Amino acid sequence: MSGAGRSTVANALEDLGYYVVDNLPPVMLRQLVDVAPAASEQLQRLAIVVDVRGGVLFDDAMRLIETLRTEMPITVVYLEASDATLVRRFEQVRRPHPLQGDGTILDGIRTERARLSGIRDLADVLLDTSDINVHELTTRVRDRFSRGPEDQVRLTVLSFGFKYGTPPDADLIADMRFLPNPFWQPELKSHTGLDEAVRDYVLAQEGAAEFADAYLQALRPVLAGYARENKRYAVLGVGCTGGKHRSVAMSEHLAARLAESGVAVTVRHRDLGRE
């Protein structure tokens, strides 16, 4: 149903790795489904959004669903909400219902219900969104269609130098300037946190191991909370003065331990090589 949450569901499925196609004419969808098995891995999981915006072409959708069910496993998800809820949502965005014509929003909703009744009968999953918000709807989609660990929060550990500015996209910031700077050690100055000698020096400093242990422990409820709130990507900025020694070494150390505990993590060094 228009206003029942199609965009929210489509975005949630996209975050789970689905290739989302919105309102493509059914005749073209047939071609897309046919080429998907031989195409890239990205097309192995298709999510097709169909609604009454397709006009007369919408009538082909039910026939396509019936045909596809004889050829492959598919899941039909039908989104609906009460008349009162849909009216309120259309009034909030101040847009007409696509089928109301010269009538009221309620007229359009009732016309749409009648047109969608056949597909509703074919649905495998019925989602009534009348009493849930967009976050709760996203959670329901994730719980139903998540493949498991690969759909968890993906964390980027990003080293940086404070003198070049903090990363604008960082969700969390850790400051390594409490540790002695290898820059002042002649034998380490020209090296970076990627080098074993610098890494060993940084991690051997008083407070370094304690910080890493405590910070990793503190990250557990944060990442779990991000997952519950459907935040699929997060950036942990780890900074030092120039982004060359301490932040790089600690970023590598934290990322390695996070990966060992099953977190989907990547590490980047924003300012490495700038000095």
Side-chain angles (χ1 to χ4, degrees), residues 149-155 222-228 230-234 263-265:
E150 62 267 45
D151 291 325
Q152 65 182 296
V153 177
R154 282 175 275 182
L155 180 67
V222 174
L223 295 177
Y226 282 165
R228 288 192 300 271
N230 299 300
K231 181 177 176 62
R232 311 309 300 165
Y233 310 95
V263 176
V265 61

Side-chain angles (χ1 to χ4, degrees), residues 198-212:
V198 173
R199 182 196 65 209
D200 291 346
Y201 175 87
V202 170
L203 297 179
Q205 298 305 307
E206 182 178 357
E210 181 183 3
F211 165 82

Side-chain angles (χ1 to χ4, degrees), residues 67-243:
T67 300
L68 291 178
R69 274 196 165 147
T70 67
E71 303 172 3
M72 64 190 70
I74 68 171
T75 301
V76 178
V77 181
Y78 185 85
L79 300 171
E80 61 184 357
S82 68
D83 288 354
T85 298
L86 294 176
V87 168
R88 184 179 69 252
R89 290 174 182 172
F90 275 104
E91 288 179 341
Q92 285 175 343
V93 297
R94 299 183 180 181
R95 295 190 63 188
H97 187 281
L99 296 183
Q100 75 179 72
D102 295 330
T104 66
I105 292 175
L106 189 56
D107 292 332
I109 291 170
R110 289 171 176 169
T111 299
E112 184 178 24
R113 273 196 207 285
R115 289 198 61 190
L116 291 177
S117 61
I119 287 185
R120 186 186 187 282
D121 292 339
L122 293 174
D124 303 292
V125 179
L126 289 173
L127 284 177
D128 188 329
T129 66
S130 302
D131 299 315
I132 60 176
N133 59 39
V134 293
H135 303 295
E136 292 168 328
L137 178 56
T138 299
T139 296
R140 291 193 184 186
V141 173
R142 186 193 67 197
D143 291 345
R144 175 63 176 78
F145 294 102
S146 173
R147 291 177 295 182
E150 62 267 45
D151 291 325
Q152 65 182 296
V153 177
R154 282 175 275 182
L155 180 67
T156 296
V157 179
L158 177 68
S159 74
F160 69 95
F162 278 99
K163 71 179 183 180
Y164 301 114
T166 57
D169 57 345
D171 300 286
L172 304 161
I173 293 289
D175 187 351
M176 295 300 102
R177 291 176 296 184
F178 73 93
L179 296 173
N181 193 347
F183 179 86
W184 303 112
Q185 303 297 318
E187 71 278 13
L188 299 177
K189 179 178 180 179
S190 62
H191 294 274
T192 76
L194 295 177
D195 295 318
E196 183 178 359
V198 173
R199 182 196 65 209
D200 291 346
Y201 175 87
V202 170
L203 297 179
Q205 298 305 307
E206 182 178 357
E210 181 183 3
F211 165 82
D213 291 342
Y215 200 78
L216 290 168
Q217 184 68 22
L219 275 178
R220 291 180 182 177
V222 174
L223 295 177
Y226 282 165
R228 288 192 300 271
E229 293 300 313
N230 299 300
K231 181 177 176 62
R232 311 309 300 165
Y233 310 95
V235 177
L236 164 60
V238 181
C240 63
T241 303

Side-chain angles (χ1 to χ4, degrees), residues 34-40 44:
D34 288 342
V35 302
S40 66
Q44 299 306 305

Side-chain angles (χ1 to χ4, degrees), residues 257-272:
R257 291 182 60 181
L258 286 164
E260 289 175 359
S261 65
V263 176
V265 61
T266 57
V267 61
R268 291 176 49 214
H269 305 295
R270 189 191 72 176
D271 299 323
L272 196 59

